[in-house]
């Protein structure tokens, strides 16, 4: 009887130890992925308001390349900060054409364009940021980040995606412009329309 209790005790200790290790691994992974995600986003301090090297109306930047993603950024106004490699934009519109020929158009109140990496961050000031695609989908959120190297549009904010046959709400998403894969990251509610 004593031997049986020792086996049960050792088994319970082993089970608890495995549970603690698994919980620790999940927490570490979540913290690490959260850190990596948030590092790619700009924050409010990234929006300098004074000492621009140049200010211009009707800002326009176009990029074409061998990776088959053609895109452009337009803004009603831009403040250029040469030393920081950034342009602070007002009334922003960015459009992308995927290799499959689908056009994505992003509209937002303000943004930051990195003139070196060509990354762009767009956020709302008054209105939701809206993404429309030429294949009939619309998306709304509070902020977006275009990672030019990875060819991805991402956000950590709440999102609403509507299309001809579905409606999806959630928190955070990623769109891979090359593969056209869309991933809603958390709190997903989906409705299929008939």
């Amino acid at each position: 009887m004593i031997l049986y209790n020792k086996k049960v005790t050792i088994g319970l200790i082993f089970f608890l130890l495995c549970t603690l290790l698994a919980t620790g691994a999940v927490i570490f992974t979540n913290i690490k992925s959260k850190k990596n995600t948030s590092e790619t986003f700009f924050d409010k301090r990234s929006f300098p308001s004074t000492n621009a090297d140049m200010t211009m109306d009707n800002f326009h930047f176009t990029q074409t390349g061998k990776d088959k993603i053609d895109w452009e950024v337009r803004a009603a106004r831009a403040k250029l900060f040469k030393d920081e490699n950034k342009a602070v934009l007002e009334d922003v519109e960015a459009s992308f054409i995927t290799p499959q020929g689908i056009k994505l158009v992003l509209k937002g109140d303000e943004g930051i364009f990195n003139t070196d990496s060509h990354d762009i961050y767009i956020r709302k000031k008054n209105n939701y940021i809206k993404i429309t695609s030429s294949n009939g989908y619309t998306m709304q959120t509070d902020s977006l980040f275009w990672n030019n190297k990875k060819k991805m549009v991402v956000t950590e904010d709440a999102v609403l995606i509507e299309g001809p046959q579905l409606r999806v709400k959630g928190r955070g998403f990623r769109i891979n412009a090359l593969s056209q894969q869309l991933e809603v990251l958390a709190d997903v509610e989906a409705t299929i329309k008939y």
Side-chain angles (χ1 to χ4, degrees), residues 9 16 52 57 77 101 139 145 147 150 155 173 176 192 194:
T9 303
L16 288 173
D57 291 336
R77 281 165 298 289
M139 292 161 256
F145 177 72
N147 183 314
K150 294 181 179 178
T155 187
F173 75 82
N176 184 315
I192 298 179
Y194 293 102

Side-chain angles (χ1 to χ4, degrees), residues 47-64:
F47 281 82
S49 57
T50 58
N51 301 324
D53 296 309
M54 184 169 59
T55 302
M56 68 170 66
D57 291 336
N58 300 315
F59 175 85
H60 183 213
F61 174 85
T62 303
Q63 175 176 299
T64 58

Side-chain angles (χ1 to χ4, degrees), residues 78-190:
K79 294 177 184 176
L80 301 172
F81 298 85
K82 185 179 174 184
D83 292 340
E84 298 178 49
N85 295 323
K86 70 174 68 166
V88 176
L89 311 174
E90 294 177 30
D91 298 324
V92 187
E93 180 176 306
S95 59
F96 309 85
I97 299 175
T98 69
Q100 296 82 4
I102 294 174
K103 184 175 184 179
L104 296 172
V105 178
L106 292 67
K107 292 184 180 182
D109 296 326
E110 60 185 358
I112 295 178
F113 176 68
N114 185 309
T115 58
D116 186 38
S117 67
H118 300 165
D119 294 341
I120 186 166
Y121 170 73
I122 302 173
R123 69 180 183 184
K124 79 171 194 171
K125 197 172 186 180
N126 303 311
N127 303 305
Y128 286 108
I129 293 167
K130 189 170 187 179
I131 305 173
T132 55
S133 70
S134 59
N135 61 351
Y137 289 88
T138 61
M139 292 161 256
Q140 292 182 353
T141 189
D142 290 345
S143 69
L144 290 171
F145 177 72
W146 165 254
N147 183 314
N148 190 50
K149 185 176 181 180
K150 294 181 179 178
K151 307 300 180 217
M152 297 202 51
V153 178
V154 296
T155 187
E156 294 177 336
D157 296 328
V159 295
L160 172 64
I161 302 165
E162 293 186 287
Q165 297 177 338
L166 70 105
R167 183 177 196 268
V168 179
K169 288 175 69 176
R171 178 158 296 280
F173 75 82
R174 292 184 207 135
I175 302 172
N176 184 315
L178 292 173
S179 67
Q180 295 184 27
Q181 290 181 331
L182 181 136
E183 179 183 8
V184 179
L185 304 177
D187 304 329
V188 180
E189 294 177 26

